[in-house]
Amino acid sequence: MRTRPLKVALLGCGVVGSEVARIMTTHADDLAARIGAPVELVGVAVRRPSKVREGIDPALITTDATALVQRGDIDVVIEVIGGIEPARTLITSAFENGASVVSANKALLAEDGAALHAAAEKYGRDLYYEAAVAGAIPLVRPLRESLAGDKVNRVLGIVNGTTNFILDKMDTSGAGYSEALDEATALGYAEADPTADVEGFDAAAKAAILAGIAFHTRVKIGDVHREGITEVTAADIASARGMGCTVKLLAICERAADGASVTARVHPAMIPLSHPLASVREAYNAVFVEAEAAGQLMFYGPGAGGSPTASAVLGDLVAVCRNKLGEATGPGESAYTRLPVSPMGEVVTRYHISLDVADKPGVLAQVATVFAEQGVSIDTVRQQGKDGEASLVVVTHRAPDAALSGTVEALRKLDTVRGVASIMRVEGE
């Protein structure tokens, strides 16, 4: 074993960063044995140096992150500060000054991953980011390495623990959205500002990363169709239950049947209770990967939190340090297919549409005519009426999303349709 330690700089010391530092200290001997050399934490960049950080030598604390990454003797920079800037500039500077990078920054990778990979390749450094997608769940490396010889056709999963907790509580307790969100906040699953989670931004960033790796093409967060869960109601949950389904916020990345394009989307969807994703409870994550040779693979576990995310960060640290000792680099960006990302309108899916209609003869015929004119086939219809008002629930067969959207717009123009109570896609069949 080499006795000279590999030097590590840590950018950020919040929930994840502090846990990374703790594990590096308490498991130092094991890490050294696994790497083949000791690792030494030589600096920790923070915004508030006065904050007490238990177990971290105050002498390591600095507010000058730029100077830390530009020292020239750093082997690995761990970036867990998040956001676009200054993270992007600091990572690029780390490459320029001889360091490889381990990052948990999904937003930056989904926005500017191609440029970061290019900088890593230019300077002969590693860029690893297992922790950016699903916490402790090994997913990035299996896609980048274990399945590198296979053809991945679909990635389908729950990649945001906050929204899964909220939807699970709505399903199991009958709570409304606001009530379930309050519980998630009280338990620490939701941030004070939960927008990134409940509006789907977090999941969309992860979907962009997964699609890019799975299909060997460049997918940015702007390419991902995004819908959150704020409009999901208790009535939607009840309707799903009546169909033998539950509602989940899904990230879905697919290769087109002809292989000429890909799609990436995040939205709430009904999935059958028989599907393994339906049983993913509370704040857990799970991802299905469908590949030609390997078939269906499922990855399941905690998708967030200090310890799970730190586990993924430390796994990357070990890999990058081993590469350093071997004077090699791991896999970089693979975007050789250059497949276009199709718009949501071209995605073929099913719909569950709940309508408030007048309770009188001929309404069902009018509604059915609209579906037929738009080229959308109806699978099932349920109708209930009382005192001149009725509800009509239509479940379609698979059709292009644009056709289904056109159907909804046409339905809204019917005099007998009082309103569209809810619209939700049906997946996982």
Side-chain angles (χ1 to χ4, degrees), residues 181-234:
L181 174 58
D182 289 343
E183 184 175 354
T185 304
L187 292 172
Y189 292 128
E191 301 287 344
D193 179 1
T195 303
D197 293 320
V198 300
E199 294 292 356
F201 290 101
D202 175 87
K206 295 170 182 176
I209 295 170
L210 291 174
I213 299 171
F215 306 135
H216 303 276
T217 194
R218 287 178 177 167
V219 180
K220 299 179 70 172
I221 190 169
D223 298 321
V224 180
H225 174 82
R226 175 192 56 79
E227 298 172 28
I229 66 166
T230 56
E231 301 301 319
V232 176
T233 66

Side-chain angles (χ1 to χ4, degrees), residues 241-292:
R241 192 180 301 113
M243 291 176 56
C245 294
T246 189
V247 177
K248 299 291 186 183
L249 182 72
L250 298 180
I252 306 172
C253 311
E254 295 178 304
R255 189 190 299 268
D258 62 4
S261 64
V262 299
T263 60
R265 50 196 166 105
V266 167
H267 55 71
M270 296 179 178
I271 59 172
L273 293 175
S274 58
H275 195 285
L277 289 178
S279 62
V280 178
R281 301 288 307 281
E282 299 198 331
Y284 276 76
N285 286 189
V287 178
F288 253 84
V289 176
E290 299 176 8
E292 284 195 356

Side-chain angles (χ1 to χ4, degrees), residues 31-58:
L31 290 173
R34 294 166 191 173
I35 291 169
V39 289
E40 178 186 3
L41 185 61
V42 298
V44 181
V46 299
R47 291 191 182 95
R48 297 185 296 276
S50 59
K51 181 180 177 180
V52 176
R53 294 172 172 85
E54 187 176 347
I56 298 178
D57 183 353

Side-chain angles (χ1 to χ4, degrees), residues 162-187:
T162 301
T163 52
N164 199 58
F165 179 89
I166 292 170
L167 293 173
D168 182 51
K169 288 302 174 183
M170 292 176 70
D171 185 33
T172 57
S173 71
Y177 168 77
S178 296
E179 184 181 352
L181 174 58
D182 289 343
E183 184 175 354
T185 304
L187 292 172

Side-chain angles (χ1 to χ4, degrees), residues 21-185:
R22 184 192 69 79
I23 295 174
M24 286 186 65
T25 301
T26 58
H27 294 72
D29 291 342
D30 286 336
L31 290 173
R34 294 166 191 173
I35 291 169
V39 289
E40 178 186 3
L41 185 61
V42 298
V44 181
V46 299
R47 291 191 182 95
R48 297 185 296 276
S50 59
K51 181 180 177 180
V52 176
R53 294 172 172 85
E54 187 176 347
I56 298 178
D57 183 353
L60 298 178
I61 301 297
T62 178
T63 57
D64 195 343
T66 300
L68 180 60
V69 300
Q70 291 179 349
R71 278 178 39 164
D73 64 340
I74 303 296
D75 294 292
V76 183
V77 169
I78 298 175
E79 183 271 310
V80 288
I81 57 177
I84 305 301
E85 287 292 355
R88 174 168 47 199
T89 298
L90 292 170
I91 289 173
T92 303
S93 183
F95 292 145
E96 294 173 350
N97 286 274
S100 288
V101 172
V102 172
S103 175
N105 196 331
K106 54 187 169 287
L108 177 57
L109 288 159
E111 177 64 32
D112 213 16
L116 295 179
H117 277 293
E121 182 178 4
K122 176 181 178 180
Y123 294 103
R125 316 298 178 207
D126 272 326
L127 174 62
Y128 276 52
Y129 44 90
E130 185 68 67
V133 175
I137 304 173
L139 189 57
V140 171
R141 201 168 305 160
L143 285 172
R144 287 213 298 184
E145 300 179 29
S146 304
L147 295 173
D150 208 339
K151 182 180 180 181
V152 176
N153 291 318
R154 194 175 195 226
V155 179
L156 167 73
I158 298 164
V159 295
N160 182 272
T162 301
T163 52
N164 199 58
F165 179 89
I166 292 170
L167 293 173
D168 182 51
K169 288 302 174 183
M170 292 176 70
D171 185 33
T172 57
S173 71
Y177 168 77
S178 296
E179 184 181 352
L181 174 58
D182 289 343
E183 184 175 354
T185 304

